[in-house]
């Protein structure tokens, strides 16, 4: 693994911070065509695309409850136990994010406030091509359920029978509306809904779409934003480890590779250290683990692109660089891990200490694993209950209050040229 001496202004830091995967014009054009086709032609076109791209063998996209139960029953007891505990951990964490409505009373009988309501219907995209992701269902569905979302719709490109672990989670969470469709066609169906040839609604549109997907799904989510809400447009996974000479280099190497194995080739596996000897030990451990891995070729591609051990002169530079990169996952394995963690401003999730390996957060701990990538941790937050809640302002003015304030309101409205705004409040004075 390459070792590079850097400062916050180094070209290598600029290169890492500029990491992105831009879809080609060809992909964008295909996505736009799929979106237009399903918007105009509805369910029949969705079925056609699912048959073409997702392996659908029939003309019905809906996965029956019987199919889900049959597959869920095949989930091994040990797996069931682990998934149940993960669901509990995620639910226990997310209930703390629930928001409450509130009201405040002002002078002259004025009542102001905010009313919290859950979204009614949410679409969850679960990848089904290169991998199997029961954890995706848990992390996206549980906060929606905690928020009070009534209808959760799952779309997933199923290869053969629905995966047993995914099916078990769906059954455990009580999710029954599942469709065999993926890619841009799945996003289009969720965003626009789908009618049959007679105009009957077969699939109702959703209010929000969440969950990771391939590049076609990602581009489609970006395009339908505004028609529906979305969680985020996620990029390739990334981990940044801050490590000093107290770290176990074998642990650090393993955690770096845990993100490198995702498969796109654009993942980032970065370590920052203030010690060249530590860098060399971590690099040696990475090389050994890669050499012995059945995913050697894939890992090496990632490490060649965005696998780096960055050596800084001190931790002032190290923390500055870490905040500039704003990684999806940040691990801190230094002798002053707690105090260093307090200096981190930009990251999706921070893992403190040698026993807080990144996969603990991916699968089990409780905080959400849907996190901002590509430096968007500067302004985005992890997926949470708050993403499934709407906030409505409440305004109640009394006769006394409007008569007291109408002229002030009218002055501002007239200044902006909105004479009928002014007239609406001034009429209350007569």
């Amino acid at each position: 693994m390459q070792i590079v001496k850097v400062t916050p202004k180094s070209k290598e830091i600029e290169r890492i911070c500029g990491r992105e995967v831009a879809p080609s014009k060809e992909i964008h054009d295909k996505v736009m065509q799929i979106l237009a086709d399903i918007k105009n032609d509805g369910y029949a076109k969705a079925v056609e695309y699912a048959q073409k791209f997702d392996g659908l063998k029939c003309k019905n996209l809906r996965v029956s409850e019987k199919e889900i139960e049959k597959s869920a029953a095949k989930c091994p007891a040990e797996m069931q136990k682990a998934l149940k505990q993960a669901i509990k951990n995620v639910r226990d964490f997310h209930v703390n994010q629930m928001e409450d409505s509130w009201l405040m009373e002002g002078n002259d009988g004025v009542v102001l406030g905010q009313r919290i309501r859950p979204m009614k219907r949410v679409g969850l995209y679960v990848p089904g091509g290169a991998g199997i992701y029961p954890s995706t269902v848990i992390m996206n569905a549980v906060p929606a359920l905690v928020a009070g979302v009534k209808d959760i719709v799952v779309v997933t490109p199923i290869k053969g029978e629905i995966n047993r672990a995914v099916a078990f989670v769906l059954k455990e969470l009580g999710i029954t509306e599942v469709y065999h469709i993926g890619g841009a066609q799945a996003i289009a169906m969720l965003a626009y809904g789908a009618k049959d040839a007679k105009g009957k609604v077969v699939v109702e549109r959703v209010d929000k779409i969440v969950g990771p997907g391939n590049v076609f799904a990602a581009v489609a989510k970006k395009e339908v934003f505004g028609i529906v809400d979305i969680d985020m447009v996620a990029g390739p996974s990334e981990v940044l480890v801050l490590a000093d000479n107290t770290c176990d280099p074998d642990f650090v190497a393993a955690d770096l590779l845990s993100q490198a194995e995702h498969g796109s080739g654009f993942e980032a596996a970065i370590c920052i250290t203030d010690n060249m000897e530590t860098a060399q030990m971590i690099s040696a451990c990475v090389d050994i683990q890669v050499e012995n891995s059945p995913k050697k070729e894939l890992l090496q591609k990632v490490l060649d692109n965005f696998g780096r051990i960055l050596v800084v002169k001190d931790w002032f530079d190290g923390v500055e660089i870490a905040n500039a990169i704003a990684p999806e996952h940040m691990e801190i394995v230094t002798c002053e891990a707690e105090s260093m963690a307090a200096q981190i401003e930009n990251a999706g999730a921070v893992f403190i200490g040698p026993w807080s390996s990144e996969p603990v957060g991916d699968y089990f701990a409780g905080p959400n694993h849907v996190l901002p990538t590509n430096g968007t941790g500067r302004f985005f937050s992890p997926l949470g209950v708050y993403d499934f809640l709407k906030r409505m302002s409440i305004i109640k003015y009394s006769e006394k209050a409007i008569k007291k304030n109408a002229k002030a309101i009218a002055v501002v409205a007239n200044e902006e040229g909105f004479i009928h705004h002014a007239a609406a409040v001034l009429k209350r004075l007569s």
Side-chain angles (χ1 to χ4, degrees):
M1 191 170 176
Q2 292 186 47
I3 300 172
V4 184
K5 288 185 176 181
V6 294
T7 69
K9 302 297 183 183
S10 294
K11 288 288 186 183
E12 184 63 20
I13 305 305
E14 185 179 331
R15 187 184 77 89
I16 291 169
C17 290
R19 182 178 67 102
E20 63 177 343
V21 183
S24 66
K25 184 179 184 301
E26 182 184 7
I27 289 175
H28 185 267
D29 290 347
K30 283 182 179 178
V31 167
M32 296 305 291
Q33 184 64 58
I34 291 169
L35 293 176
D37 285 348
I38 292 177
K39 181 180 181 181
N40 295 328
D41 299 328
Y43 189 76
K45 204 67 179 181
V47 169
E48 182 182 320
Y49 277 118
Q51 290 171 334
K52 182 177 181 180
F53 296 122
D54 304 318
L56 182 69
K57 303 298 184 186
C58 61
K59 292 187 176 182
N60 182 21
L61 294 173
R62 184 77 178 257
V63 181
S64 70
E65 290 185 50
K66 186 176 179 181
E67 289 176 79
I68 295 170
E69 289 179 5
K70 180 182 174 183
S71 186
K74 297 177 182 179
C75 190
E78 186 179 20
M79 175 67 75
Q80 290 188 27
K81 183 179 178 182
L83 291 171
K84 283 183 177 181
Q85 186 62 52
I87 290 170
K88 182 182 184 303
N89 293 348
V90 173
R91 182 177 279 117
D92 287 349
F93 176 85
H94 283 83
V95 293
N96 293 288
Q97 296 178 340
M98 194 62 192
E99 300 176 21
D100 294 319
S101 300
W102 54 270
L103 294 172
M104 57 179 281
E105 293 187 14
N107 297 326
D108 305 315
V110 171
V111 178
L112 306 172
Q114 185 169 265
R115 187 164 291 158
I116 306 296
R117 291 287 185 267
M119 294 179 182
K120 181 180 181 295
R121 186 170 169 83
V122 169
L124 166 51
Y125 189 104
V126 180
I132 297 161
Y133 302 102
S135 62
T136 294
V137 183
I138 294 171
M139 293 292 181
N140 287 270
V142 170
L145 290 168
V146 171
V149 174
K150 192 173 181 181
D151 299 329
I152 297 178
V153 189
V154 170
V155 291
T156 182
I158 301 162
K159 300 301 179 185
E161 184 180 351
I162 188 169
N163 172 261
R164 61 191 186 179
V166 170
F168 179 79
V169 171
L170 291 172
K171 186 169 182 281
E172 194 72 11
L173 296 178
I175 298 171
T176 58
E177 190 174 352
V178 181
Y179 298 96
H180 180 154
I181 188 170
Q185 54 273 18
I187 302 301
M189 187 181 76
L190 291 173
Y192 303 122
K195 296 179 180 179
D196 63 17
K198 296 180 180 179
K200 180 184 176 183
V201 175
V202 181
V203 182
E204 290 185 26
R205 63 180 292 180
V206 301
D207 302 315
K208 184 164 188 165
I209 302 172
V210 299
N214 61 20
V215 64
F216 290 93
V219 173
K221 280 172 70 177
K222 190 173 182 180
E223 291 297 332
V224 299
F225 175 60
I227 299 168
V228 293
D229 192 17
I230 63 171
D231 50 355
M232 63 185 76
V233 180
S237 189
E238 54 201 23
V239 64
L240 172 61
V241 183
L242 307 183
D244 64 13
N245 60 3
T246 66
C247 78
D248 183 320
D250 215 31
F251 285 6
V252 173
D255 291 353
L256 291 170
L257 296 182
S258 74
Q259 295 310 292
E261 74 170 332
H262 274 272
S264 76
F266 291 92
E267 289 75 20
I270 301 164
C271 177
I272 297 177
T273 183
D274 63 341
N275 183 286
M276 179 59 74
E277 186 178 353
T278 300
Q280 291 168 342
M281 287 191 293
I282 292 170
S283 179
C285 289
V286 168
D287 292 343
I288 292 168
Q289 291 182 31
V290 169
E291 187 62 35
N292 294 322
S293 172
K295 295 184 176 183
K296 176 181 176 180
E297 188 175 335
L298 182 152
L299 294 175
Q300 196 59 59
K301 179 182 177 182
V302 171
L303 295 179
D304 288 345
N305 286 335
F306 293 103
R308 296 292 185 273
I309 301 174
L310 308 176
V311 181
V312 294
K313 67 176 182 178
D314 55 43
W315 282 117
F316 293 105
D317 279 1
V319 169
E320 183 179 344
I321 290 169
N323 280 321
I325 295 173
E328 179 185 16
H329 310 100
M330 184 184 295
E331 292 188 13
I332 305 178
V333 283
T334 64
C335 62
E336 300 291 342
E338 290 282 357
S339 61
M340 192 173 290
Q343 300 174 55
I344 300 304
E345 297 177 354
N346 303 326
V350 180
F351 300 76
I352 302 172
W355 309 111
S356 306
S357 178
E358 189 279 335
V360 172
D362 270 353
Y363 297 110
F364 206 72
N368 213 287
H369 79 193
V370 181
L371 302 167
T373 59
N374 282 357
T376 58
R378 294 176 294 113
F379 48 84
F380 272 143
S381 303
L383 188 72
V385 172
Y386 38 76
D387 287 297
F388 301 99
L389 297 173
K390 299 176 298 175
R391 301 158 188 85
M392 296 182 289
S393 297
I394 302 298
I395 302 165
K396 181 182 178 183
Y397 255 45
S398 65
E399 181 181 359
K400 182 179 181 180
I402 194 67
K403 287 184 174 180
K404 180 178 180 180
N405 295 291
K407 289 182 179 178
I409 296 167
V411 166
V412 179
N414 281 321
E415 179 67 20
E416 293 187 352
F418 289 110
I419 59 173
H420 292 288
H421 282 65
V425 291
L426 291 176
K427 275 187 179 294
R428 266 92 177 157
L429 296 180
S430 58

